Amino acid sequence: MPRSSKEIVKIQDVHKAYGKEDVLKGISMEVTEGEVVILVGPSGTGKSTLLRCINQLTVPDSGHVWVNGIELTDPSTDIDKARQHIGMVFQDFNLFNHLSALDNVMLGLTQVLKMDVEKAREKAMHELDRVGLCNKFMNYPGQLSGGQKQRVAIARSLAMEPIVMLFDEPTSALDPELIGEVLVVMKDLALGGMTMICVTHEIGFARDVSTRIVFMEHGDIVEEGSPKKMLNHPDLQRTKQFLGKISELH
Amino acid sequence: MSIIEYLLIAIPKIWTGLLITFKVSAICLLIGLLIGMPAALARVYGPKWLRWLVTGYIEILRGTPVLVQLFLIYYGLPQFGLTLSAFASAYLAIGMNSGAYQAEYFRGAIQAISSGQMMAARSIGLSRMQAIRHVIIPQAFRFAIPAWSNEVVAMIKISSIVYLIAVPEMLYVAKELMAKYYNPFQTYFTVGAVYLIVIGLLTVLLNALERKLTIPGLETVKRGS
């Protein structure tokens, strides 16, 4: 895997509170090109919030976020433009329910990138092919399985040629037998050099393709390191306990 | 005069009235739509002052009889030097009133759409306006069809009040026929039957439209929420 030290995502002292509850208590993190970072931790520890703070779907209360050198927390940044290049995949897929698989992938191409329809269709078909679904292009989300929906959602993000992909528990809403097909696509992406930040409890995936595991709890980063270190001999007992528990399950 | 003879005279006249009923209803529904959808969007996505303004509009128009609104426009405005024709008054009053109801139907439909739809749209770089236009509105229209069908049916009947300001729609024609032949039962029975048939046909048509516009997966969301 080609590895450079080009910084893709930089998060600096990000705070976020909902009411009285501090969800993020000053998170700092850097992700370089080609890295696959796994965020793990108990539910409610702010992993998803952190992910959304990166593309500003959730606006941090304080702190800074840069993606590809552009500060997204700067109010003068054109956030719509910046988001084009930050792919996001959601737990609930969030495919546009009124559009076919093809139109889901095409919408960003025609409306955001202003590509002409023929070109956009070609590109969208290529992306659907990449996730193994070009034969389902006419299907509406309601006619796809959960695994297929998530793959279309990945294709929809990939079509925008993102420089980083954010995965928010991409397999948590899937039946166990459908998880594999999504992980295969994610693995392909990782091996192809895509910079990825994934909130997931799929430890096998983390072991096989991640470059770093970040363990979060109560809005803080508790410990981080290579998958080898984190899964085999982490520094902290708490990390060992948590990762040990989810390793048994997955 | 036998009932057959009477109907032969009455039905052509009722037909001309029916066409005006259709015209008034269609124009008022359209005005209501043009007010209702933007008002609903403003109420869900607009800044606070706009939400208040729209809520005020909706509550005032739903909280007073449409007949009072019609009379205010037709009889009241001339006092300030603004005289509108009977037709214009009818369109304005009933259209604005329908707009308030339609705004509420569309608001319900918009709020039935999962918040993830907006998030996903924004995540690929669509602006808020683009997301509303390409993702929210198309789904909201489909969710709103059942409620909107009710509005169509209600409109056909509500439009009859404009006979009070001498718009020659169906009920006005009935009044004229009755004054001439003095047979209120036959006249109102016939007109009632025509309303029933027209609304029956419209209901069948609107149900067919609803089925035609159904998208797999979307209909379950609608019925479940």
Side-chain angles (χ1 to χ4, degrees), chain A residues 60-76:
Chain A
D61 295 336
S62 66
H64 305 272
V65 175
W66 291 264
V67 173
N68 212 22
I70 296 166
E71 184 179 352
L72 304 192
T73 36
D74 178 348
S76 67

Side-chain angles (χ1 to χ4, degrees), chain B residues 38-60:
Chain B
L41 290 168
R43 206 173 165 185
V44 178
Y45 297 111
K48 204 167 189 177
W49 63 268
L50 190 59
R51 292 209 299 268
W52 276 96
L53 200 71
V54 170
T55 306
Y57 173 86
I58 290 169
E59 295 310 329
I60 290 169

Side-chain angles (χ1 to χ4, degrees), chain A residues 76-121:
Chain A
S76 67
T77 300
D78 180 351
I79 192 68
D80 295 330
K81 207 165 169 57
R83 279 204 194 104
Q84 293 169 21
H85 309 293
I86 308 172
M88 188 168 216
V89 173
F90 302 86
Q91 181 176 353
D92 305 323
F93 328 122
N94 293 336
L95 288 183
F96 307 130
N97 291 313
H98 61 302
L99 298 178
S100 66
L102 181 68
D103 287 333
N104 262 275
V105 182
M106 279 175 66
L107 186 65
L109 299 176
T110 53
Q111 298 304 322
V112 178
L113 301 180
K114 311 286 179 202
M115 223 181 245
D116 70 52
V117 174
E118 270 317 304
K119 261 200 178 137
R121 178 175 291 128

